[in-house]
Amino acid sequence: MDTARLDYFSYNDKSKTPNINHFIKDTGAIAFENAITPAPWTIPSHVSLFTGKYPSEHGSIDYGFKIDKKKPFLPNLFSQSGYFTVGITSNSLLTSSSDFDYGFDKYICTWNLFQDIKEHYRSMKTIKNKGLKGLFEVSGSIIKNKPVRNLANIIYRKWYSVQKNSTKSSIRTKDIAIDQIVKSNKNGENLFLFLNFMQPHMNYNPPAFAKEKFVSKDYNQPYQSPIEFYSGLYEDEKIKYFRELYQSEIFTLDQILGEIIDKISELNLMDDSAIILVSDHGEHIGDHSHISHYFSVYNELINVPLIVKFPNEFQKKISLNSSKDIVPTHSLFNTLLEFIEQKKYKTDVGSLFDNSKNFAISELFMPSEYSYFIEECKRLSSGEFIVEDFILNGFQNQQAIISNNLKYIVKEKGNNELYDFYADPNETNNLISSNRPDYNSFVDGVFPHVSIYDNAIKRGQMSEKLMRRMRSLGYY
């Protein structure tokens, strides 16, 4: 579930996610309330899920990343263990161009009509950023790689835009997934199935049946602009509208997931199946003066849904308290290794079976392309946009460290923050200057982890492209 934040799910409120709630009640699935993603955006979060490593360890922290095929990668480990591995994604950042299909026997990008070509990575961005040179680069790639099918994919992508309407893509993902589940069951093969749904990712454009349920006043605005938000162009009523659209998107995804769950039950596969519902990161919708998922490690972005249902012999091994314990979502890597008896590849992040640390980290390295925010916001805001405030408010590398009841946010610019994780989930009371001994000792205790993060920056894992661009604009 791409961009799904926890507080828009209610496991006791059937009006929001009735099918997920029924799944939990009917199967005994466990819903964790304090699941923490290792990064607040797609690329580093997904790579962490499949490697069991933090972003500062695996290094996939920017656009143009490549999977390191020399390192353990979860789909490949399952493939080597005899599973038929299938990936279905609606997110254009997770493509074969970045080798994210490594270890999958079948990998399907739902925005493409044909899957048997090596498409250029982010072709429109390449043309926009490089101009005529980028156009020649993309054109050359198309000519070399089955040009007719490549062009058909481009046309299909325009008609079938995931960004404009993620519901179409979610339905296609669901249909392909159900067909694969039925086929694998018929063939008697063990199936590792990874599904990436873009809902509820911006743009929020849910179908009418969902909007009617949650939207109080329809402004008929299927497009939302982070640039316009940071330029101060959205009033409170519009933010309220976006929140209602977002809830509508989650309701729509719940209906689609319900069909997949129903098919698994219909085929009598539920008891023997391991099913995990998890989000890669959350979403800001006006919270902390942010929108989308660019510039923070606040709870709206890193506290995500995590629901697991395992076969009984594994389910009973889960030792964590679902309402209290802090669970790094990439501990799923270690957890799933036990299903294929590949413990030798386990990382030190723990698992759902033996995580006694009650500890998690979430890291944000600013991606290289984000400098355009400052340029565009300055253009739209008629001089009212204060760059220095924008940088302090989030446009900087940062890391959240959560241990027991405290959450420490350390930032590159030094405007650090400290919160009571349980008592202050909305992070409204910054304790950084309280001088209480228990807070001071906590901060002292997490500095080894901060130094690991700092060393990652010094190793050059932060984007030099971004830093050069920012310096050219007169910042940093």
Side-chain angles (χ1 to χ4, degrees):
M1 301 181 290
D2 203 299
T3 321
R5 58 187 262 187
L6 179 66
D7 59 352
Y8 276 71
F9 288 68
S10 177
Y11 304 127
N12 297 315
D13 184 353
K14 294 182 179 180
S15 68
K16 294 182 177 180
T17 51
N19 291 284
I20 290 175
N21 292 11
H22 178 73
F23 168 67
I24 293 171
K25 182 178 179 181
D26 194 48
T27 66
I30 300 175
F32 292 94
E33 297 179 17
N34 300 306
I36 304 297
T37 179
W41 69 292
T42 296
I43 289 173
S45 175
H46 275 82
V47 177
S48 289
L49 282 172
F50 281 176
T51 63
K53 299 283 189 179
Y54 283 105
S56 54
E57 296 174 314
H58 61 61
S60 296
I61 57 173
D62 201 355
Y63 301 101
F65 76 106
K66 285 279 190 180
I67 294 299
D68 186 350
K69 294 184 178 182
K70 297 179 181 178
K71 301 291 179 62
F73 198 63
L74 194 64
N76 189 52
L77 294 176
F78 267 82
S79 179
Q80 291 175 353
S81 298
Y83 282 72
F84 187 68
T85 53
V86 178
I88 308 171
T89 179
S90 300
N91 194 314
S92 59
L93 297 180
L94 308 176
T95 70
S96 59
S97 299
S98 57
D99 292 332
F100 197 80
D101 61 341
Y102 176 51
F104 285 104
D105 297 306
K106 183 190 297 185
Y107 197 75
I108 299 169
C109 300
T110 60
W111 62 88
N112 280 335
L113 185 62
F114 299 104
Q115 305 296 326
D116 60 340
I117 61 171
K118 193 84 170 180
E119 64 180 308
H120 190 281
Y121 184 67
R122 307 183 80 215
S123 56
M124 296 309 295
K125 280 285 186 182
T126 301
I127 296 171
K128 182 179 179 181
N129 294 338
K130 297 183 178 180
L132 188 60
K133 181 180 178 182
L135 179 61
F136 281 120
E137 181 181 320
V138 172
S139 300
S141 176
I142 291 173
I143 292 171
K144 292 177 183 177
N145 294 289
K146 301 180 180 178
V148 174
R149 292 193 171 202
N150 222 317
L151 287 170
N153 274 354
I154 292 173
I155 296 170
Y156 181 77
R157 203 176 303 150
K158 281 292 182 183
W159 173 79
Y160 203 81
S161 172
V162 176
Q163 185 179 18
K164 291 179 181 178
N165 188 336
S166 58
T167 301
K168 289 181 181 179
S169 177
S170 293
I171 291 172
R172 188 178 184 207
T173 298
K174 176 260 299 181
D175 290 342
I176 297 171
I178 288 177
D179 287 347
Q180 184 62 59
I181 291 168
V182 170
K183 184 178 180 179
S184 291
N185 181 55
K186 183 178 180 180
N187 293 340
E189 61 193 9
N190 291 325
L191 175 65
F192 175 93
L193 179 61
F194 164 71
L195 307 178
N196 172 279
F197 292 93
M198 276 296 277
Q199 280 176 317
H201 196 288
M202 188 180 284
N203 290 306
Y204 315 136
N205 188 19
F209 76 87
K211 289 173 69 174
E212 291 171 359
K213 189 174 180 64
F214 295 101
V215 174
S216 55
K217 180 181 178 180
D218 193 354
Y219 290 88
N220 193 30
Q221 183 174 342
Y223 172 76
Q224 304 88 39
S225 168
I227 297 293
E228 292 179 2
F229 172 85
Y230 286 112
S231 301
L233 302 183
Y234 288 154
E235 301 292 337
D236 290 345
E237 276 299 308
K238 193 61 70 70
I239 298 301
K240 177 176 179 288
Y241 170 60
F242 293 160
R243 289 171 178 165
E244 291 171 345
L245 289 178
Y246 181 80
Q247 188 70 72
S248 305
E249 291 276 16
I250 288 176
F251 180 78
T252 304
L253 179 59
D254 174 83
Q255 305 298 302
I256 292 169
L257 290 174
E259 292 188 49
I260 299 174
I261 292 168
D262 287 346
K263 177 57 66 172
I264 293 172
S265 294
E266 178 188 316
L267 295 172
N268 295 316
L269 298 173
M270 186 63 72
D271 289 346
D272 294 327
S273 297
I275 300 174
I276 300 170
L277 305 179
V278 66
S279 177
D280 58 346
H281 56 77
E283 182 85 321
H284 278 303
I285 317 174
D287 325 85
H288 290 98
S289 300
H290 286 300
I291 200 167
S292 195
H293 45 274
Y294 297 104
F295 306 123
S296 98
V297 285
Y298 290 122
N299 287 341
E300 292 88 2
L301 293 197
I302 69 171
N303 191 191
V304 297
L306 171 60
I307 302 164
V308 300
K309 179 267 153 197
F310 293 154
N312 187 56
E313 69 266 28
F314 290 99
Q315 190 85 352
K316 64 185 180 183
K317 291 171 61 178
I318 296 176
S319 57
L320 302 181
N321 186 316
S322 61
S323 63
K324 293 183 179 180
D325 287 338
I326 297 165
V327 183
T329 57
H330 62 308
S331 66
L332 290 168
F333 175 83
N334 289 341
T335 305
L336 291 175
L337 289 182
E338 299 213 14
F339 284 75
I340 53 177
E341 299 181 352
Q342 294 279 12
K343 294 182 182 181
K344 64 181 179 180
Y345 296 112
K346 288 180 71 173
T347 65
D348 60 3
V349 73
S351 80
L352 299 186
F353 303 135
D354 61 2
N355 190 350
S356 57
K357 297 179 181 180
N358 209 33
F359 176 88
I361 297 175
S362 190
E363 302 175 325
L364 173 61
F365 294 89
M366 293 303 300
S368 59
E369 296 181 1
Y370 283 7
S371 62
Y372 78 91
F373 270 90
I374 288 179
E375 299 167 76
E376 289 298 303
C377 288
K378 287 176 68 177
R379 182 179 63 83
L380 287 178
S381 60
S382 302
E384 298 177 4
F385 180 75
I386 302 174
V387 175
E388 291 74 15
D389 289 348
F390 185 64
I391 292 173
L392 286 175
N393 196 37
F395 194 90
Q396 56 178 306
N397 297 319
Q398 52 194 286
Q399 178 191 49
I401 302 172
I402 305 169
S403 181
N404 297 316
N405 67 314
L406 292 175
K407 174 181 177 180
Y408 184 48
I409 300 176
V410 58
K411 300 182 179 180
E412 185 180 9
K413 290 294 183 181
N415 54 321
N416 303 334
E417 302 173 42
L418 181 68
Y419 297 99
D420 189 312
F421 182 72
Y422 295 108
D424 185 19
N426 295 324
E427 295 160 304
T428 59
N429 183 24
N430 187 358
L431 305 168
I432 198 69
S433 59
S434 63
N435 287 322
R436 280 180 47 173
D438 55 339
Y439 297 157
N440 292 334
S441 63
F442 170 78
V443 172
D444 290 341
V446 300
F447 261 103
H449 303 286
V450 176
S451 66
I452 292 172
Y453 184 68
D454 288 341
N455 287 337
I457 294 175
K458 291 171 184 175
R459 287 199 306 270
Q461 289 185 344
M462 67 176 295
S463 172
E464 280 300 321
K465 289 187 290 183
L466 176 63
M467 294 304 295
R468 286 196 299 270
R469 182 61 178 150
M470 292 301 295
R471 291 188 188 105
S472 72
L473 294 170
Y475 310 108
Y476 280 80

